[in-house]
């Protein structure tokens, strides 16, 4: 691997934009394919206007073994050879670039709109649509299987339950699903475009609502980007309180999902216990900052709310009681043959497929991939306190449930230790001014997996570009794979075992 | 089986006694924002300047008014105030039937109140209200805290209120999110599918005013321009108790 074509930085660092090598497209493509073959994964791949007529594409390649991030770029021609046929994990990134900037990745096997909006460059459109034509979400050529006994099931965007919208097309032979295609974009609300020109009054709040269930995860990534650009190191106590908030978010969501999984197989005790217990962890977050999802807890430079010893004492008391109830509730799952029968061998994703598709987070770990930003690219308090990576090898619903349980155990131990020994320091310091013409990258292990934020500043230190990659962006296609050869009725269970974000994908 | 019973016994009865007793809220809970007029300096604009959504407005006097429909209940204004004049009151009851009633005077201690549905609607829905939830660009915050109303903690079912899968089975819609253009048609179709008479409940800053996505070209700044709203529930997201309180007041149960 030629390192000369890359600039190497660590997680939570920045470098000058001019130092990111600009490689001719063919060489860019070649080196990207080589790096992925050598074990790197694409943390972000995006394009932005270099000037009025040219586009510059950037790639952030994450090397888990060395914990380094490799940055490279190229001037993107209007038509280029798609990466996806040789590198399936580029799939959605290429569709995103094509939709946003009207360029054509030639030979892309699944080139369709992603979020259903007009191109950001008026006269260019990947599908040659006119700017006056309305674009309707979900209207595209869906993958179809032909045959006399084939039928199609379409679900959404308004589907059962209190849930975000998406459109799902199942190609079925009897009850067996041959493939599921997922069409999103209904939640597209222009988050990334609104970030440009920031940071301003609203930037913090946009980041907190990228995915409401991952408020801490996304605001942590944002804060780390800002702090990298401002070369500010936050106080240790702030770092610890941030990590506690992040792990609480993981606990709340994992407990909630395990309850919902129990509900999906009709096992009501765990379903109803966990429904309440998820709320206990949200309430603990509210005990720290007043908001159940952690709004306004984090800010660039540290955190806004401290926990004195009385608060820590009360926190621990409620925390231990919740953890004890969670342990009882979740262990019922593993002891119930009817639950295990539904969990095991349902929705299997093979490790080879997971690697090739570039799946991240707990879904990847449930396929046996040992990857966790907290240990591979540690920042903040995770540099000093390790949480060992939880994996299981079966790739099925059980595996995704069980990895959640191991993570619950490890996060509880982590919070318990950390909150008892909070470092004595300030919780927030003033930021230095942000630096102009820089690129900064932050990776955070949110409860779903790797969150990546990339910011590029202009000459006035404002955001010239801001890229957000929610873990769901990497993982939605994995759900389609998990549904192959399953029954339609297994969909709710498989879907919940992935528990992906619609709004985090749609931005 | 014995383990299930043992766990059930240990976990005990967990449904809160709200509305018969006041709810337990965290001490840092951020309810209705209150501005202490005595401390507020008239020509200072710091709070309005930092507000992410323009929720602090000045109409008649130089003293600010707060639009709860836009407020994200963040702490930015309180932090920016040089005189410590802004605090978030513990009042969780902030819902209203009229959009305009969400604009409150800075020194109002209690949030706006909801008047119940009209007599005929109340007769129909007062003891049984089935709602279809529609997420129209919500970040999943409001959706999550609406969802928890069905857990044993809040047990929405005991009031005869229930979320249903099909809009055809519903008496109304509970809408979250700023209503993006990409969800407008689906929202309208869902609305048309609900048999009349029907109601609309807008939950969260997004559904009321666009929230943090206000004025993005992709969104419609909330539900009001698209459907007739019967109940506005402010917050980002509203605490489940705020949502429950709003619905119960609409049904004349509080």
């Amino acid at each position: 691997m030629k390192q000369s074509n890359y600039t190497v930085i660590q997680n939570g660092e920045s470098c000058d934009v001019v130092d990111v090598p600009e490689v001719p497209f063919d060489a860019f493509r070649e080196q990207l394919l080589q790096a992925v073959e050598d074990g790197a994964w694409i943390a972000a791949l995006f394009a932005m206007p270099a000037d009025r007529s040219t586009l510059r594409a950037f790639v952030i390649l994450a090397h888990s073994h060395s914990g380094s991030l490799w940055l490279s770029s190229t001037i993107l021609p209007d038509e280029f050879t798609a990466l996806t046929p040789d590198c399936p994990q580029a799939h959605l990134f290429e569709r995103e670039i094509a939709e946003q900037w009207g360029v054509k990745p030639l030979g892309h096997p699944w080139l369709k709109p992603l979020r259903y909006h007009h191109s950001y460059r008026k006269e260019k459109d990947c599908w040659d649509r006119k700017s006056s034509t309305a674009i309707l979400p979900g209207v595209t050529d869906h993958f179809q299987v032909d045959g006399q006994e084939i039928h199609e099931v379409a679900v959404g965007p308004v589907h059962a339950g209190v849930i975000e919208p998406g459109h799902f097309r199942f190609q079925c032979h009897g009850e067996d699903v041959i493939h599921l295609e997922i069409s999103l974009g209904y939640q597209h609300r222009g988050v990334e475009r609104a970030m440009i020109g920031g940071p301003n009054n609203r930037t913090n709040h946009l980041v907190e609502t990228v995915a409401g269930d991952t408020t801490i995860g996304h605001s942590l990534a944002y804060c780390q980007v800002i702090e990298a650009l401002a070369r500010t190191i936050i106080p240790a106590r702030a770092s610890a309180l941030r990590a506690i908030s992040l792990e609480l978010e993981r606990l709340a969501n994992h407990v909630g999902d395990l309850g919902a999984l129990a509900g999906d197989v009709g096992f009501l005790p765990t379903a109803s216990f966990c429904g309440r217990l998820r709320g206990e962890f949200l309430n603990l977050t509210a005990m720290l900052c007043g908001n159940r999802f952690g709004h306004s807890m984090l800010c660039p430079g540290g955190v806004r709310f401290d926990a004195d010893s009385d608060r820590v004492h009360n926190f621990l008391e409620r925390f231990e009681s919740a953890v004890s109830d969670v342990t009882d509730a979740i262990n019922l799952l593993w002891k119930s043959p009817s639950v295990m029968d539904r969990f095991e061998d349902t929705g299997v994703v093979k490790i080879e497929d997971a690697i090739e598709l570039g799946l991240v987070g707990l879904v990847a770990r449930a396929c046996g991939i040992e990857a966790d930003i907290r240990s591979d690219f540690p920042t903040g308090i995770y540099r000093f306190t390790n949480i060992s990576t939880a994996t299981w090898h079966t790739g099925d619903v059980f595996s995704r449930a069980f990895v959640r349980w191991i993570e619950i155990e490890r996060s509880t131990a982590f919070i318990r230790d950390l909150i008892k020994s909070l470092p004595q320091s300030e919780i927030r310091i003033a930021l230095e001014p942000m630096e102009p013409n820089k690129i900064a990258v932050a990776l955070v292990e949110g409860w779903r997996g790797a969150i990546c934020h990339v910011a590029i500043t202009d000459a006035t230190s404002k955001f010239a570009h801001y890229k957000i990659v929610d873990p769901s962006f990497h993982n939605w296609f994995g759900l389609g794979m998990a549904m192959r050869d399953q029954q339609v009725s297994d969909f709710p269970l498989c879907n919940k075992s992935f528990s992906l974000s619609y709004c985090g994908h749609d931005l | 089986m014995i383990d299930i019973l043992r766990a059930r016994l240990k976990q005990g009865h967990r449904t809160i006694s709200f509305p018969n007793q006041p709810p337990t809220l965290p001490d840092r809970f951020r309810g209705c924002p209150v501005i202490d007029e005595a401390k507020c300096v008239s020509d200072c604009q710091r709070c309005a300047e930092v507000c992410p959504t323009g929720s602090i407005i000045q109409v008649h006097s130089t003293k600010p008014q707060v639009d709860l429909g836009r407020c994200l209940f963040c702490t930015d204004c309180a932090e920016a105030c040089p005189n410590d004049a802004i605090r978030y009151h513990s009042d969780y009851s902030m819902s209203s039937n009229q959009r305009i009633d969400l604009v409150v005077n800075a020194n109002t201690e209690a949030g706006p109140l909801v008047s119940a549905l009209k007599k005929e609607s109340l007769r129909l829905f007062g003891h049984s209200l089935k709602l279809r939830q529609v997420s129209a660009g919500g970040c999943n915050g409001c959706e999550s805290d609406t969802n928890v109303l069905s857990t044993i903690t809040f047990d929405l079912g005991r009031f005869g209120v229930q979320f249903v899968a099909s809009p055809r089975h519903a008496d109304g819609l509970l809408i979250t999110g700023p209503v993006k253009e990409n969800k407008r048609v689906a929202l309208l179709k869902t609305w048309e599918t609900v048999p009349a008479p029907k109601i609309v409940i807008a939950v969260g800053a997004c559904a009321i005013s666009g929230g943090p996505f206000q004025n993005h070209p992709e969104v419609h700044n909330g539900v009001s321009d698209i459907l007739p709203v019967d109940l506005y529930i402010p917050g980002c997201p509203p605490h489940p108790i705020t949502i429950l309180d709003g619905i119960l007041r609409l049904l004349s149960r509080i």
Side-chain angles (χ1 to χ4, degrees), chain A residues 95 99 112-118 129 135-140 142 183-186 188, chain B residues 182:
Chain A
R95 276 169 68 179
E99 184 173 47
K112 345 180 174 197
L114 196 62
R115 304 189 178 106
Y116 298 90
H117 60 76
H118 284 288
R129 299 167 299 187
I135 296 176
L136 296 172
V139 179
T140 185
H142 288 99
S183 191
L184 302 176
Y186 298 93
H188 178 56
Chain B
N182 279 3

Side-chain angles (χ1 to χ4, degrees), chain A residues 407-487:
Chain A
E407 294 191 3
I408 289 170
E409 287 185 305
R410 292 183 184 170
S411 293
T412 37
F414 176 87
I415 292 176
R416 191 181 287 133
D417 285 351
L418 194 55
I419 204 157
K420 282 181 193 160
S421 55
L422 283 176
Q424 295 301 326
S425 72
E426 293 292 300
I427 56 161
R428 186 178 181 182
I429 54 166
L431 283 181
E432 299 293 321
M434 275 167 52
E435 294 183 321
N437 301 315
K438 293 274 182 185
I439 177 168
V441 185
L443 291 175
V444 165
E445 187 71 27
W447 65 273
R448 286 192 181 91
I451 297 168
C452 179
H453 283 216
V454 185
I456 296 177
T457 52
D458 61 17
T460 63
S461 302
K462 293 288 186 186
F463 294 142
H465 199 77
Y466 200 95
K467 181 83 208 96
I468 298 169
V469 188
D470 187 84
S472 310
F473 194 79
H474 299 279
N475 285 356
W476 272 109
F477 206 85
L479 175 58
M481 292 300 286
M483 276 308 292
R484 290 189 177 179
D485 299 325
Q486 301 298 305
Q487 302 227 312

Side-chain angles (χ1 to χ4, degrees), chain A residues 186 201 212 288-289 311 324, chain B residues 10 28 30 49 139 180:
Chain A
Y186 298 93
N201 285 356
L288 293 178
C289 72
R311 194 169 294 271
S324 157
Chain B
K10 186 181 157 212
R28 286 176 174 170
R30 303 197 286 268
E49 282 164 13
C139 71
K180 310 119 308 157

Side-chain angles (χ1 to χ4, degrees), chain A residues 207-225:
Chain A
V207 173
E208 286 181 339
T209 49
V210 164
D213 49 28
T214 318
T215 297
I216 298 287
H218 277 286
S219 42
L220 180 53
Y222 168 73
C223 288
Q224 290 185 350
V225 157

Side-chain angles (χ1 to χ4, degrees), chain B residues 97-139:
Chain B
N97 305 98
Q98 302 289 331
R99 176 70 182 87
I100 190 75
D101 291 344
L102 292 176
V103 181
V104 293
N105 277 328
N107 56 352
T108 317
E109 279 275 325
L113 293 178
V114 184
S115 44
L117 286 168
K118 294 212 176 70
K119 209 173 160 194
E120 177 59 13
S121 302
L122 201 59
R123 189 181 67 78
L124 286 169
F125 303 138
H127 294 279
S128 166
L129 177 68
K130 308 292 167 199
L131 294 168
R132 167 69 227 195
Q133 199 275 334
V134 179
S135 169
C139 71

Side-chain angles (χ1 to χ4, degrees), chain A residues 353-368:
Chain A
D353 293 338
I355 292 171
E356 205 167 353
L357 291 169
L359 304 188
V360 300
L362 79 92
V363 169
R365 292 193 285 278
C367 298

Side-chain angles (χ1 to χ4, degrees), chain A residues 41 64 359-362 364-365 368-376 389-391 445:
Chain A
W41 54 277
S64 301
L359 304 188
V360 300
L362 79 92
R365 292 193 285 278
I369 300 173
E370 210 166 302
D372 189 321
I373 303 296
R374 292 171 293 174
S375 12
D376 301 340
T389 305
T391 60
E445 187 71 27

